[in-house]
Amino acid sequence: GAGVSQSPSNKVTEKGKDVELRCDPISGHTALYWYRQSLGQGLEFLIYFQGNSAPDKSGLPSDRFSAERTGGSVSTLTIQRTQQEDSAVYLCASSQPLDFSTDTQYFGPGTRLTVL
Amino acid sequence: AQSVTQLGSHVSVSEGALVLLRCNYSSSVPPYLFWYVQYPNQGLQLLLKYTTGATLVKGINGFEAEFKKSETSFHLTKPSAHMSDAAEYFCAVLSNAGNMLTFGGGTRLMVKP
């Protein structure tokens, strides 16, 4: 079937505005991850959803960042009051772990966020 | 905490030459290791992974990697580089809880004609 999809592919916003980034995981994948890729910090984990369990938010950089996953499928990453340092590519991944130690994460194409 | 170090942010090889991209990891438990490739303006594509068993892992596009516990390494190799191999390569280790990947800083591979 289709891979992980993300929208929009590019987003330009002004400092202080809120943005929402969307991720559609591979159908049937119960685990979903958000990562951020920036020039200064490389690839960083942000948040992880697994089934109906409480999400692991340990990677979120500030309380301006939040994410939800509705119905165990689509996820939205929201950044409030955007700052220039939020400019990055936001990558979503999903997996269907046979067991937690061997699952492969499949990545979407990312959303490039530019905060002016 | 786990960490991954990729030696060399940029590697340049001639077409047909051996490709060697270095990855060293730090982990308190047996690691699960991955190599991903990223082409311009695209997401990450899995090249290969090591979980358990055979330490020499073969992946897509002719790449392979060898897990060496004694050296805490998982270097990526390809015998003969193609122009199409030009991309950025990331080594990663899966967390103990299996809920996140920790990535190295990436190595940009350039292939000269």
Side-chain angles (χ1 to χ4, degrees):
Chain A
V4 177
S5 60
Q6 293 185 246
S7 60
S9 55
N10 281 282
K11 177 71 176 179
V12 180
T13 190
E14 294 179 346
K15 179 181 173 181
K17 295 284 180 69
D18 297 351
V19 295
E20 286 188 352
L21 312 180
R22 177 187 168 106
C23 172
D24 284 86
I26 293 172
S27 177
H29 280 191
T30 59
L32 187 146
Y33 315 76
W34 283 97
Y35 293 85
R36 179 169 70 174
Q37 185 176 24
S38 58
L39 281 176
Q41 302 298 324
L43 273 157
E44 306 170 279
F45 166 77
L46 295 177
I47 189 169
Y48 161 71
F49 296 89
Q50 169 55 34
N52 296 321
S53 302
D56 177 351
K57 304 179 182 180
S58 60
L60 295 179
S62 77
D63 58 8
R64 296 186 295 105
F65 288 72
S66 63
E68 62 178 23
R69 188 178 185 192
T70 53
S73 181
V74 172
S75 176
T76 302
L77 177 69
T78 301
I79 309 173
Q80 295 178 310
R81 306 180 301 282
T82 52
Q83 305 294 312
Q84 288 183 333
E85 61 262 29
D86 299 335
S87 295
V89 176
Y90 290 82
L91 293 167
C92 177
S94 70
S95 70
Q96 179 52 30
L98 299 175
D99 65 78
F100 282 137
S101 61
T102 62
D103 63 327
T104 294
Q105 297 180 25
Y106 297 90
F107 284 80
T111 294
R112 182 176 298 277
L113 174 65
T114 303
V115 182
L116 302 176
Chain B
Q2 294 165 308
S3 66
V4 177
T5 302
Q6 292 183 239
L7 201 60
S9 58
H10 291 79
V11 169
S12 181
V13 301
S14 297
E15 192 173 19
L18 171 72
V19 175
L20 170 61
L21 305 182
R22 299 178 186 275
C23 172
N24 288 88
Y25 68 90
S26 171
S27 177
S28 58
V29 297
Y32 297 98
L33 296 159
F34 301 78
W35 275 100
Y36 283 87
V37 60
Q38 186 177 36
Y39 298 101
N41 300 314
Q42 295 187 26
L44 300 174
Q45 180 182 1
L46 180 71
L47 273 178
L48 50 80
K49 66 180 180 182
Y50 169 78
T51 54
T52 58
T55 56
L56 182 62
V57 181
K58 295 187 184 298
I60 62 171
N61 302 339
F63 284 93
E64 62 183 36
E66 186 171 11
F67 169 64
K68 292 187 177 180
K69 183 179 178 181
S70 61
E71 299 178 6
T72 60
S73 69
F74 191 55
H75 302 330
L76 182 71
T77 60
K78 181 173 180 178
S80 176
H82 294 168
M83 296 297 291
S84 60
D85 294 328
E88 189 152 21
Y89 293 79
F90 293 92
C91 182
V93 62
L94 188 66
S95 66
N96 297 347
N99 62 344
M100 61 179 254
L101 290 169
T102 298
F103 288 90
T107 297
R108 185 167 299 278
L109 176 66
M110 294 166 284
V111 182
K112 299 175 292 186

